[in-house]
Amino acid sequence: MTVTDTRPVHTAGSPDEPWWRQAVIYQVYPRSFADSDGDGIGDLPGITTHLSHLAELGVDALWLSPFYRSPQADGGYDVADYRDVDPLFGTLADFDALVARAHELRLRVLVDLVPNHTSDEHAWFRAALAAAPSSPERARYVFRDGRGPRGDEAPNNWRSTFGGPAWERTTSPDGTPGQWYLHLFDARQPDLDWSNPQVRAEFESVLRFWLDRGVDGFRVDVAHGLVKAAGLPDWDGPATLAEERDHLAAVASGGASVSGDGLVGGGLSAAQRVADAPTVVDAGTGEPVTGAGHHGPAWDQDGVHEVYRSWRAVLDAYPGERVLVAEAWVEPLSRLARYVRPDEMHQAFNFPYLTAGWAPSTLRRLIAASYAANDAVGAPTTWVLSNHDVVRHASRFGLADPTHRPNGIGARDEQPDATLGLRRARAASLLTLALPGSAYLYQGEELGLPEHTSLDDELRQDPTFRRTKGEQLGRDGCRIPLPWAADAPGLGFSPTGAAWLPQPPEFAPLALDRQRDVPGSTYELYRAALRLRREHALGTGGLTWLPGYPDEVLAFSVRDVVVVANFGTAPVDGPEGARPLLASPDVSASPTAEAGTVPGASTVWFIR
Ligand code: GLC
């Protein structure tokens, strides 16, 4: 599928567009960013001290994963009090100090909002357990009687995203088995009932609480899950993203019986099937799909959009450009774009891009489809390669199949090729940072950090590991404390050297102090990319493919920059008469990039 159509796939905007339409946003996972008090768990004062790192790197904003009061059954995505900081991470005063310092450094601050479920230790859930069936206390959650004569079968067949059933049976105060409650995630994360006006009012109040404290926006957790189909009907399709992915793979290879779920697979025409990886397209819209979407009655229900319209009104009443970002695992892209219609959220994570892997033809289609879907609703497209829920891309891309996305990698699994993975990761990051729109970085990717791929099972904390009885290793391997200083105890993460998860030996040479001001380092590559992205206003640029390159090359122009991303192994020529501006391989190690060619597994930015 070489490029022949050279009409722009996205047209340029003005460099003065609102910040969020072109922002680079850095995700901080507070537990693992920097520890100030020596207990081995990162905290808010630790983040504040290191904000200068983010300013120096050149990002526009940071997004903080949850730091609220929580029993930490799911790394804080189980919130017990939405209006307080967990003592593990500090105090509200520490939070205020963080925001003040960030704003001084011209960094915006987004916080994570977790509206789909609370912790089982939230006051509402405790009250619900203590109250009777059909009580107003229970009506804030999804309590149901069980099926079967004794009510000992779950109310429906839904399964938890983390494995096992999505229902837990309660025990009544008199010790007899009681009603069941729904939890799309861990049993310690009961789902709220969003048809209840009290739930809606409470979250609008929570939004105001943080807006009043000066936050610039919210990343909305599980934004596609809040509203469930009426009657909670059974669902026999894939329940987890791993199952979605396997389903798609079977569809693509022609092995699956394709039911009415809207996928075109085994019958792919020659044009639909591509050489580097089979691309599956949505039968209704023709858009590429990669298994980044949950399906069924628990997800992406139309009623959810009303919630975001009301939140948008809350944010719009505040001064400044405050934003809502959807974490919505929804496909195809046009369906995802419904979350960012003009009166809803501002951005949605582009998970189809993240899940496409190292696959040029799929990426080419996805990039075009992403712009088509978002441009149609006037929203910026976002780009992301890593976060706290997926294997780091420096490791994913070092697997024999670089489109594979295991849920964690353990010592008994295929070990990624670290050199190849990092080389490809740098190329992919340079591609990503050239794409118009907004980009998300996950802490540590600017250091080229790999996944921890040999963590002891006893240390694993992700509930997925337990709920799948070890079949899925889970996400701990991408959540390892950051290495700041190669020779300091605990690599400078904590003053005592303590770390809640051990850092693998590969982290030391990648510590920030080993890369800062070192030409060719991954850190300096990111820094240069962010500086040039700003100088050339790439974030608001248009995108036009350049013809004449082989299938395994993505070549396009954005403003005065030409980007050539070579996924193949043979070098290709850069555009004629253009001068290299930035190259993903260490240029001292790959002088060919200087000569105007693009080596395999590399991205080069050229200037005309
Ligand atoms: C989101 C978060 C993830 C969390 C889940 C349940 O997907 O990113 O870390 O486990 O929601 O809140």
Side-chain angles (χ1 to χ4, degrees), residues 208 308-318 324 343-344:
R208 291 196 178 93
Y308 303 130
R309 289 195 190 101
S310 68
W311 290 8
R312 179 64 179 255
V314 171
L315 265 73
D316 283 350
Y318 279 80
L324 293 164
D343 57 347
E344 297 193 36

Side-chain angles (χ1 to χ4, degrees), residues 92-324:
L92 277 172
D94 292 332
F95 178 79
D96 293 341
L98 187 161
V99 173
R101 178 70 185 133
H103 286 167
E104 245 169 55
L105 293 168
R106 297 178 165 276
L107 294 166
R108 314 231 181 193
V109 181
L110 310 191
V111 296
D112 219 306
L113 186 76
V114 188
N116 181 67
H117 43 263
T118 69
S119 159
D120 62 341
E121 293 188 19
H122 190 283
W124 275 8
F125 193 70
R126 290 192 163 156
L129 285 184
S134 306
S135 58
E137 287 83 0
R138 288 208 171 177
R140 295 169 182 144
Y141 293 90
V142 187
F143 279 88
R144 293 288 184 277
D145 293 331
R147 293 200 275 205
R150 286 188 306 278
D152 55 6
E153 290 164 37
N156 70 21
N157 70 353
W158 293 3
R159 284 176 295 138
S160 154
T161 309
F162 291 163
W167 294 91
E168 185 80 6
R169 194 165 195 187
T170 61
T171 305
S172 303
D174 66 1
T176 59
Q179 281 192 304
W180 300 69
Y181 67 87
L182 176 70
H183 58 89
L184 293 182
F185 294 88
D186 192 59
R188 302 201 56 191
Q189 295 168 295
D191 278 50
L192 288 162
D193 185 341
W194 275 85
S195 67
N196 186 326
Q198 277 185 40
V199 172
R200 295 199 179 211
E202 168 66 2
F203 275 87
E204 290 185 17
S205 154
V206 169
L207 286 175
R208 291 196 178 93
F209 179 86
W210 294 102
L211 290 165
D212 290 340
R213 293 199 104 85
V215 305
D216 298 288
F218 302 88
R219 175 264 190 191
V220 179
D221 190 62
V222 197
H224 60 313
L226 275 53
V227 174
K228 282 79 178 174
L232 311 180
D234 279 346
W235 167 252
D236 295 315
T240 63
L241 291 170
E243 289 176 13
E244 292 283 353
R245 178 202 59 210
D246 294 348
H247 176 64
L248 280 195
V251 170
S253 65
S257 63
V258 185
S259 56
D261 62 358
L263 299 175
V264 177
L268 281 183
S269 69
Q272 286 167 324
R273 198 186 279 282
V274 293
D276 52 296
T279 302
V280 180
V281 298
D282 178 79
T285 63
E287 294 164 278
V289 286
T290 58
H294 286 120
H295 290 96
W299 307 105
D300 191 32
Q301 300 298 305
D302 287 346
V304 83
H305 296 285
E306 205 190 302
V307 175
Y308 303 130
R309 289 195 190 101
S310 68
W311 290 8
R312 179 64 179 255
V314 171
L315 265 73
D316 283 350
Y318 279 80
E321 297 275 350
R322 321 262 182 133
V323 299
L324 293 164

Side-chain angles (χ1 to χ4, degrees), residues 500-540:
W500 71 282
L501 285 175
Q503 297 150 314
E506 304 84 74
F507 270 31
L510 297 172
L512 177 64
D513 73 343
R514 288 289 169 90
Q515 299 200 45
R516 212 166 161 237
D517 298 325
V518 175
S521 70
T522 303
Y523 176 67
E524 291 302 334
L525 177 72
Y526 269 75
R527 235 176 123 184
L530 291 170
R531 178 174 53 76
L532 292 167
R533 177 187 158 91
R534 194 184 297 263
E535 281 173 17
H536 293 264
L538 301 184
T540 54

Side-chain angles (χ1 to χ4, degrees), residues 29 63 74 77-78 112 114 117 162 185 189 219 221-222 327 329 388-389 475 479:
Y29 193 71
W63 142 40
D74 180 25
Y77 282 94
D78 49 318
D112 219 306
V114 188
H117 43 263
F162 291 163
F185 294 88
Q189 295 168 295
R219 175 264 190 191
D221 190 62
V222 197
E327 189 229 10
W329 292 87
H388 67 296
D389 290 329
R475 303 159 293 175
R479 299 174 175 179

